[in-house]
């Protein structure tokens, strides 16, 4: 027998015994959260984004969308996009009802910081830190656990 034939017979024996490779096992177990959406590497300081996220946390999705539309901060746009994505994930993938959705969790984590040099007097330089954020929003149905 050649090496390829031996591998094929070994894989057939494993399948018959109920053993699967890592990819097949991952596909069987869904490792996702219902109503979950995340935006990574948003080029905005986490401190500024948290001001907006703190306003909408715990509110109904409809109220949060209305608030985000009128909050005069630039961070409200990416937060509104993530909220819209989480809402549609819940409606499409998890069959939740739109009028019962509320924001269960909303948090902002710091992403990698881009460091840039800005020239200063006498040949020195200062570091400019361009911060990034990871925005995560999880929506759920009211009354559901």
């Amino acid at each position: 027998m050649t090496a390829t034939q031996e591998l094929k017979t070994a894989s057939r024996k494993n399948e018959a015994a109920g053993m699967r490779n890592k990819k097949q096992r991952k596909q069987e177990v869904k490792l996702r959260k219902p109503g979950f959406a995340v935006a990574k590497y948003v080029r905005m300081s986490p401190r500024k984004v948290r001001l907006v996220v703190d306003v909408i946390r715990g509110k109904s999705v409809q109220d949060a969308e209305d608030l985000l539309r009128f909050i005069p901060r630039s961070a409200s746009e990416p937060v509104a996009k993530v909220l819209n994505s989480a809402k549609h994930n819940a409606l499409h993938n998890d069959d939740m009802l739109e009028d019962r959705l509320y924001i269960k969790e909303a948090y902002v984590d710091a992403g990698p910081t881009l460091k840039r040099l800005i020239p200063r007097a006498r040949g020195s330089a200062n570091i400019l830190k361009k911060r990034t954020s990871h925005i995560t929003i999880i929506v759920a149905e009211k009354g559901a656990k």
Side-chain angles (χ1 to χ4, degrees):
M1 282 181 108
T2 63
T4 54
Q5 289 174 337
E6 287 177 18
L7 284 174
K8 286 181 182 178
T9 55
S11 65
R12 285 188 194 124
K13 287 178 185 176
N14 287 343
E15 286 178 24
M19 296 167 64
R20 289 170 295 282
N21 64 18
K22 186 176 180 180
K23 186 177 180 181
Q24 291 167 334
R25 288 194 310 268
K26 271 190 167 181
Q27 287 173 346
E28 288 176 5
V29 180
K30 287 190 173 181
L31 299 173
R32 62 176 191 80
K33 300 172 190 171
F36 176 85
V38 62
K40 291 191 166 195
Y41 309 106
V42 176
R43 253 298 287 127
M44 205 168 287
S45 170
R47 185 174 171 182
K48 293 176 183 178
V49 180
R50 280 187 195 113
L51 292 171
V52 174
V53 169
D54 290 343
V55 172
I56 65 164
R57 188 178 291 120
K59 300 229 182 337
S60 73
V61 170
Q62 191 62 43
D63 291 345
E65 286 174 337
D66 294 339
L67 280 169
L68 288 172
R69 201 170 291 125
F70 296 108
I71 290 177
R73 291 200 170 267
S74 59
S76 62
E77 184 183 340
V79 171
K81 281 185 174 183
V82 177
L83 176 62
N84 191 36
S85 178
K87 178 180 92 169
H88 284 92
N89 286 342
L91 296 176
H92 185 264
N93 299 337
D94 305 313
D95 299 324
M96 295 184 186
L97 299 173
E98 185 171 2
D99 54 336
R100 294 180 62 191
L101 289 178
Y102 77 103
I103 299 173
K104 181 180 176 184
E105 289 181 50
Y107 52 90
V108 180
D109 297 322
T113 302
L114 306 171
K115 293 182 176 116
R116 301 291 180 258
L117 293 175
I118 184 163
R120 287 303 189 199
R122 297 184 177 182
S124 66
N126 284 354
I127 295 177
L128 206 66
K129 293 180 180 174
K130 298 189 172 203
R131 301 182 189 273
T132 60
S133 307
H134 300 321
I135 306 167
T136 307
I137 295 180
I138 302 173
V139 297
E141 282 186 316
K142 275 203 163 61
K145 290 186 179 180

